[in-house]
Amino acid sequence: KWGNKGMARLEWFPDVQEYHASQNGFQYYELPSSVVLVPFHSMNAANPGHLVWDDFFSIYNLLHMFDLTDYELLLMRYVLQDNERGLWASCDFTDEKKKNCKHMMEKFLPLMTGMDEKSLQWSTTEEFNFVPNVPGQSDLVCAANALAGLGSLTDHGFRKAHGWVPEDYNFTHNYGRGGLFRDFRNFVVHNLELPLNPVPKIGPHRIVFSVNSSDIPSRVEDFQAQMELVQQHVPSAKVESYEFKHLSLKDQV
């Protein structure tokens, strides 16, 4: 999405921190063992499609790979520290984009953490606020469980131009992910405390269109022609349309 120059800014490797033990021994704070820390750089969390499929689904993929889907999730959005403007379309590209990212992250976070208001919230690397029970003992905060590195787990991979050039369609990153998509669906539905109703094997089926949902005028579509075409070719289906941006998260799901 950002090209080789932009991707180079995302290259990282953990720094080994030398820490000299005090007279009281080696001291550090530690997050609860039930927590998994996931630092990530969001591609464009201001757009719920990118947030869910490039951020949340990739993070779920990591959790699934290491059998950590039952752990409490602490998401930490990484802010680049190179003193340059944020990557194009990313959460730090403009102040408006940062505000919209925060709004969307907070609205859709229950998909990943559940509906309990006491559940862990998300933060950025610049805003993380750790309040220990006994303050002042150390300047280190450790996590027994942590995952990082979305890379090719995203819907776009790391070499595509977001579907804008023909070469983007030479290969896909979603081979063999059908079962994983289903698991992700069940994961978020469970987190919202909604019933895991099976999809009926016989009709009539519902076909739902999201209409007029973009804040970009050139992308506002009512899909009326498409809905009429679907109804014509699948007359047994129940075709519905909603402006999802006006619905609560539960109602959307």
Side-chain angles (χ1 to χ4, degrees):
K1 166 115 183 196
W2 292 304
N4 291 334
K5 182 178 179 181
M7 291 302 301
R9 294 176 62 190
L10 294 176
E11 292 181 358
W12 68 281
F13 193 82
D15 292 328
V16 178
Q17 301 289 335
E18 292 189 8
Y19 193 77
H20 302 286
S22 66
Q23 61 180 359
N24 296 323
F26 186 77
Q27 295 184 327
Y28 59 90
Y29 297 109
E30 183 175 337
L31 299 175
S33 59
S34 60
V35 172
V36 55
L37 171 66
V38 182
F40 69 103
H41 187 279
S42 177
M43 192 181 82
N44 184 5
N47 181 320
H50 287 304
L51 173 62
V52 172
W53 293 112
D54 288 304
D55 293 345
F56 285 177
F57 174 68
S58 302
I59 291 169
Y60 174 79
N61 199 344
L62 272 178
L63 295 169
H64 188 272
M65 289 165 61
F66 292 93
D67 197 24
L68 295 172
T69 55
D70 291 332
Y71 282 61
E72 293 181 82
L73 187 59
L74 176 57
L75 297 178
M76 186 178 294
R77 183 176 71 77
Y78 183 76
V79 179
L80 292 173
Q81 304 295 312
D82 55 11
N83 297 318
E84 295 186 38
R85 186 182 186 182
L87 289 166
W88 182 83
S90 71
C91 291
D92 299 302
F93 190 60
T94 65
D95 290 340
E96 182 72 14
K97 185 69 87 168
K98 183 183 296 185
K99 182 181 74 172
N100 291 339
C101 281
K102 179 178 175 63
H103 170 72
M104 287 299 179
M105 283 286 293
E106 291 177 347
K107 179 175 182 177
F108 285 87
L109 187 64
L111 294 177
M112 300 297 288
T113 62
M115 300 296 292
D116 188 352
E117 294 182 358
K118 296 181 180 179
S119 64
L120 296 175
Q121 300 299 302
W122 73 282
S123 176
T124 69
T125 49
E126 292 186 336
E127 299 171 339
F128 179 64
N129 184 26
F130 177 80
V131 182
N133 292 328
V134 182
Q137 301 299 306
S138 175
D139 58 358
L140 295 179
V141 180
C142 299
N145 308 292
L147 297 170
L150 303 187
S152 289
L153 300 180
T154 66
D155 193 40
H156 296 88
F158 64 95
R159 293 296 181 193
K160 291 188 177 185
H162 196 42
W164 294 331
V165 297
E167 290 76 18
D168 289 342
Y169 299 91
N170 289 342
F171 60 94
T172 176
H173 288 262
N174 291 324
Y175 287 122
R177 286 185 173 178
L180 191 62
F181 286 140
R182 184 70 177 175
D183 291 342
F184 178 58
R185 175 262 190 192
N186 290 342
F187 176 77
V188 300
V189 170
H190 173 76
N191 283 338
L192 294 183
E193 301 175 0
L194 294 172
L196 291 172
N197 296 327
V199 176
K201 295 182 179 180
I202 59 175
H205 295 301
R206 298 168 66 211
I207 299 177
V208 177
F209 282 77
S210 172
V211 299
N212 304 322
S213 289
S214 179
D215 291 326
I216 302 174
S218 62
R219 296 183 180 182
V220 175
E221 299 284 352
D222 63 12
F223 296 112
Q224 188 61 41
Q226 289 80 2
M227 287 190 287
E228 292 175 358
L229 194 63
V230 169
Q231 193 69 81
Q232 176 184 343
H233 288 275
V234 192
S236 63
K238 183 180 180 182
V239 179
E240 302 174 0
S241 64
Y242 300 93
E243 292 192 23
F244 278 83
K245 63 182 179 181
H246 298 310
L247 301 179
S248 70
L249 181 58
K250 266 193 171 184
D251 285 341
Q252 288 188 46
V253 174

